């Protein structure tokens, strides 16, 4: 029997379809799909099915000094036991094995892990096949010409695993213990994560330190034969043209001069044409940037691209290459799109060009080609809207790289009015070139009429605009990844995941990402006491060392030993300042949770978490002062800068994904509830007879509202109500429950007819019933399939799963997403 091992289940299914010519059947072993035909078996892993960790004796944070981890042994243990068991069972029956994992550093390591699992059972021949797209031709050719596992390339990936584990665990434990932040609130530090966070924090500091300067700009509308265009005032500033006027009196004087005349005389007309070259082929960073302009996060874009690759529609999306291989036949690939309703016309127009010459970028590598379509064309109905949008982006980028250059005609007009100079720059697209097939790059025109020197143009309006210089913009995700690439921080395969981890850890929020106060505190502490932790030079050097391993110029042991020695030096700095670091972080973290003074004792009121996991506001003077305020049960709290004028207390926002809302001042919300009266609406279905319990609209001190029994706590029957909006109790009654129908925001343009509160809640529960994985928000069929391949094939399995292990095993799924799903299950 020949055993074939792929990186994921969907790749296994696709390869089985190709090699068996559609005749493969499926059987289940230990909850794992095995594809079979004849004497062939194909099984998909779930990424890494074994993980690196420290031995059990290092697991207790309180009993093990963090620096002990620096030179601790690292062990490998199965993370997906059902897949490991299945692989080894099949290996014992096999005569030969073929490893067909992705062809990159991470894929080679996953392949090596499979190699070692097989070797533990048998000494059968094991070969390696490599391909850049899962298409009939590439897969068939790869299996016809197998190679060996590249143990140097795999060792580079393994070195990364070990170094990231040692650095991350040792530093995370040190800072968390120093700051007394344990449990779910630990302070996460990482070899790539921390330098990336520093980039974001440094940009935020630039923004905060920025002091705007006032300046003025003047514009005049000029007209010829009823056709008007905008011109801008400029002046000579030591040989350069300047548009910004920094002195208000000078701006006023220029405005007075321009408004004193009604015509301007053309003094200069210059025409030129410019060639606009097509873009270069997609490498990973450029692809992420282009997908970002369509609204996709880096993580989402890569996840979709990987699914399209596995389905055989595009080539491998993790690449630094910007030069197509010599054997790529551009005309044959274009021909595959002829006849397509979406792409056919553009493909035909490109094939009609005199010659097809693809553009080339500056980077050429030998592992994978640039990202491009394979020629396998899915039907529109086979892909989701997001998948189709990304697929079309990749197709059209390929089209653009083989299209002709565009040609622009530029017209520059300079005119004089009352001794003041005005200029207008027009441009017109003469030959659309690649813009005809690639609508993602700007092709906007600016009309300026054809004029001649000496011609007079009417001035129809003059505008003086006062402006301020703007701070630097925050890094968008794609720009951040480009900056990381330029500094050598991370790799094409890890950068987008690093950003996602920063979101998961609560270090950044929003898009473009901005650092939280926790992030600012952690970076400031590292800069003060151990600069190596956030140094991009350090992590870039380690990246170079791992490349040296892949090229056979260094060994895994040499690089990991050097890394451990570097970390030991970092700890020498940290140990000397342990108390200072702890105090600094504790004060910073406390400031991040402080709302204002306690009205009873004057100590700080802080956001706290109960043993049950719920949040509330409590006095820092506890246990002497037991003053508390409730917070909503939905989401996690974020303290805002806005301060309540009545209570000198900061407002709170509850972060709950799409349901995020501003709670406001906790004291205000509590006082509103105390001042409100219950509004009786009808009998309680649980205890009305014989004790007389009734349902009432209640306002809680946490700011929430509900319909609850007046006999609470003896009767805890309750129904949820919307948090915001006026509620009107109507005269219409529900025949089944004898309760009035409710309307939310009755005076608005779009009132919400809630109806009977019992009927509404029953309908809500039915709509949101969670019976299988796909009932959870954020889990579609593709994600459910990935989870099932990783052993998460039921709601119970998801409920009990370790979020970090799931994130490590399932591409495109983060630990934060897993926790969100688990919270949905508990809701």
């Amino acid at each position: 029997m020949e055993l074939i091992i792929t990186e994921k289940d969907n790749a296994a299914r696709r390869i089985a379809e190709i090699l068996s010519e559609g005749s493969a059947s499926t059987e289940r072993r230990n909850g794992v799909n095995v594809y079979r035909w004849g004497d062939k078996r194909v099984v998909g892993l779930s990424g890494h099915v074994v993980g690196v960790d420290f031995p059990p004796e290092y697991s207790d944070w309180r009993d093990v000094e963090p620096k002990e981890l620096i030179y601790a042994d690292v062990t490998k243990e199965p993370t997906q036991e059902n897949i490991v068991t299945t692989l080894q069972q099949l290996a014992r029956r096999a005569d030969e094995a073929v490893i067909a994992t992705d062809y990159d550093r991470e894929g080679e390591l996953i392949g090596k892990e499979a190699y070692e699992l097989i070797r533990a059972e048998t000494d059968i021949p094991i070969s390696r096949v490599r391909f850049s797209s899962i298409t009939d031709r590439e897969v068939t050719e790869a299996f016809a010409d197998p190679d060996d596992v590249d143990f140097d390339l795999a060792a580079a990936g393994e070195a990364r695993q070990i170094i990231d584990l040692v650095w991350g665990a040792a530093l995370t434990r040190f800072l968390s213990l120093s700051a007394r932040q344990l449990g779910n609130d630990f302070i996460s530090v990482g070899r790539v994560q921390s330098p990336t966070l520093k980039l974001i924090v440094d940009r935020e500091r630039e923004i905060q330190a920025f002091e705007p300067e006032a300046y003025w700009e003047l514009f005049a509308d000029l007209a010829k034969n009823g056709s008007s265009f905008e011109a801008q005032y400029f002046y000579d500033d030591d040989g350069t043209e300047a548009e910004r006027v920094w002195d208000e009196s000078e701006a006023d004087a220029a405005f007075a001069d321009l408004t004193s005349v009604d015509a301007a005389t053309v003094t200069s007309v210059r025409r030129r044409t410019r060639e606009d070259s097509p873009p270069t082929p997609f490498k990973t960073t450029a692809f992420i940037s282009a997908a970002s302009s369509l609204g996709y996060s880096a993580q989402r874009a890569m996840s979709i691209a990987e699914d399209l690759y596995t389905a055989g529609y595009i080539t491998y999306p993790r690449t630094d290459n910007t030069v197509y291989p010599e054997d790529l036949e551009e005309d044959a690939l274009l021909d595959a799109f002829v006849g397509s309703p979406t792409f056919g016309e553009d493909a035909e127009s490109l094939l009609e060009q005199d010659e097809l010459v693809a553009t080339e970028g500056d980077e050429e590598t030998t592992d994978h080609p640039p990202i491009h379509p394979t020629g396998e064309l899915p039907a529109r109905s086979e892909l989701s809207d997001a998948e189709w949008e990304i697929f079309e982006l990749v197709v059209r980028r390929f089209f653009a790289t083989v299209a002709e250059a565009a040609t622009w005609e530029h017209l520059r007009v300079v005119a004089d009015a009352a001794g003041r100079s005005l200029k207008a720059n027009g441009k017109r697209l003469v030959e659309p070139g690649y813009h005809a097939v690639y609508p993602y790059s700007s092709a906007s025109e600016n009309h300026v009429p054809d004029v001649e020197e000496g011609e007079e143009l009417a001035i129809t309006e003059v505008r003086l605009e006062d402006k301020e210089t703007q701070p630097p913009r925050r890094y968008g995700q794609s720009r951040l990844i480009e900056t990381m690439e330029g500094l050598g921080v991370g790799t094409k395969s890890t950068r987008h995941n690093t950003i996602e981890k920063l979101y998961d850890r609560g270090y950044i929020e929003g898009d473009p990402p901005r650092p939280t106060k926790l992030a600012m505190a952690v970076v400031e502490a590292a800069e003060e006491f151990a600069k190596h932790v956030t140094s991009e030079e350090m992590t870039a050097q380690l990246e170079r060392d791992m490349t040296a391993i892949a090229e056979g110029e260094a060994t895994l042991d040499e690089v990991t030993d050097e890394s451990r020695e570097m970390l030991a030096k970092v700890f020498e700095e940290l140990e000397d300042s342990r108390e200072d670091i702890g105090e600094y972080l504790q004060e910073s973290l406390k400031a991040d949770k402080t709302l204002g003074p306690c009205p009873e004792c004057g100590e700080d009121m802080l956001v706290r978490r109960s043993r049950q996991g719920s949040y509330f506001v409590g006095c820092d003077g506890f246990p002497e002062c037991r003053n508390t305020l409730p917070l909503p049960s939905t989401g996690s709290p974020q303290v805002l800068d806005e301060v309540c004028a009545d209570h000198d207390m900061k407002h709170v926002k509850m972060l709950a994904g799409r349901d995020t809302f501003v709670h406001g001042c906790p004291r205000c919300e509590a006082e509103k509830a105390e001042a409100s009266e219950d509004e009786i609406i009808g009998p309680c279905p649980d205890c009305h007879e014989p004790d007389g319990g009734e349902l009432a609209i209640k306002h809680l001190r946490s700011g929430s509202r509900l319909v609850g029994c007046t006999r609470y706590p003896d009767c805890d029957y309750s129904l949820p109500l919307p948090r915001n909006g006026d509620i009107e109790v109507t005269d219409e009654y529900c025949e089944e429950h004898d309760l009035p129908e409710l309307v939310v925001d009755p005076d608005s343009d779009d009132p919400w007819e809630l109806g009977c509160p019992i009927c509404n809640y029953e309908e809500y529960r039915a709509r949101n019933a969670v019976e299988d994985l796909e009932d959870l928000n954020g889990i579609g069929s593709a994600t459910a399939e990935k989870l099932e391949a990783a052993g998460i094939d039921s709601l119970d399995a998801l409920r009990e799963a370790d979020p970090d292990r799931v994130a490590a095993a399932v591409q495109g799924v983060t630990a934060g997403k897993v926790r969100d799903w688990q919270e949905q299950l508990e809701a």
Side-chain angles (χ1 to χ4, degrees), residues 28-194:
R28 295 278 283 180
R29 281 176 172 258
N30 309 307
V32 178
N33 290 329
V34 178
Y35 303 94
R36 60 180 294 171
W37 71 102
D39 65 345
K40 313 280 189 184
R41 303 290 185 274
V42 185
V43 63
L45 306 176
S46 181
H48 294 284
V49 294
V50 296
V52 295
D53 205 346
F54 297 109
E57 59 265 28
Y58 292 93
S59 61
D60 193 323
W61 286 33
R62 296 184 184 277
D63 288 346
V64 178
E65 278 293 316
K67 67 181 178 182
E68 293 180 46
L69 300 176
I70 298 173
Y71 294 107
D73 290 335
V74 172
T75 61
K76 289 185 178 181
E77 298 294 336
T79 56
Q80 304 287 330
E81 291 189 6
N82 62 326
I83 298 177
V84 170
T85 299
T86 301
L87 174 60
Q88 293 185 321
Q89 287 174 347
L90 292 169
R92 288 194 289 270
R93 297 175 46 214
D95 301 309
E96 62 177 308
V98 181
I99 292 171
T101 50
D102 293 342
Y103 179 30
D104 62 3
R105 188 182 294 173
E106 207 68 20
E108 205 71 22
L109 175 57
I110 293 168
K112 181 197 171 196
E113 291 165 358
Y115 178 99
E116 292 172 340
L117 290 168
I118 296 170
R119 274 285 169 265
E121 303 295 324
T122 177
D123 61 355
I124 59 174
I126 303 174
S127 58
R128 172 77 160 105
V129 296
R130 299 181 177 91
F131 39 80
S132 292
S133 63
I134 307 181
T135 59
D136 290 19
R137 180 181 64 82
E138 280 216 37
V139 169
T140 302
E141 290 178 358
F143 275 83
D145 185 24
D147 199 351
D148 297 321
V149 173
D150 186 338
F151 289 99
D152 287 338
L153 185 61
E158 191 171 354
R160 175 187 303 284
Q161 277 190 327
I162 294 170
I163 291 169
D164 285 352
L165 170 69
V166 174
W167 277 75
L171 290 170
T172 292
R173 290 195 192 186
F174 179 87
L175 292 183
S176 299
L177 288 166
S178 299
R180 299 176 188 171
Q181 291 288 120
L182 302 179
N184 291 330
D185 296 325
F186 68 89
I187 297 174
S188 174
V189 184
R191 182 184 62 83
V192 177
Q193 172 185 301
S194 297

Side-chain angles (χ1 to χ4, degrees), residues 755-787:
C756 165
I758 295 179
C759 292
N760 176 73
Y761 185 56
E762 290 174 349
E763 292 170 3
Y764 170 81
R765 293 193 65 180
R767 283 196 310 271
N768 292 276
V770 177
E771 297 177 356
D772 56 41
L773 291 173
E774 291 185 47
D775 288 332
L776 294 169
N777 291 334
I779 299 185
S781 58
T783 303
E785 186 176 310
K786 292 180 184 179
L787 290 169

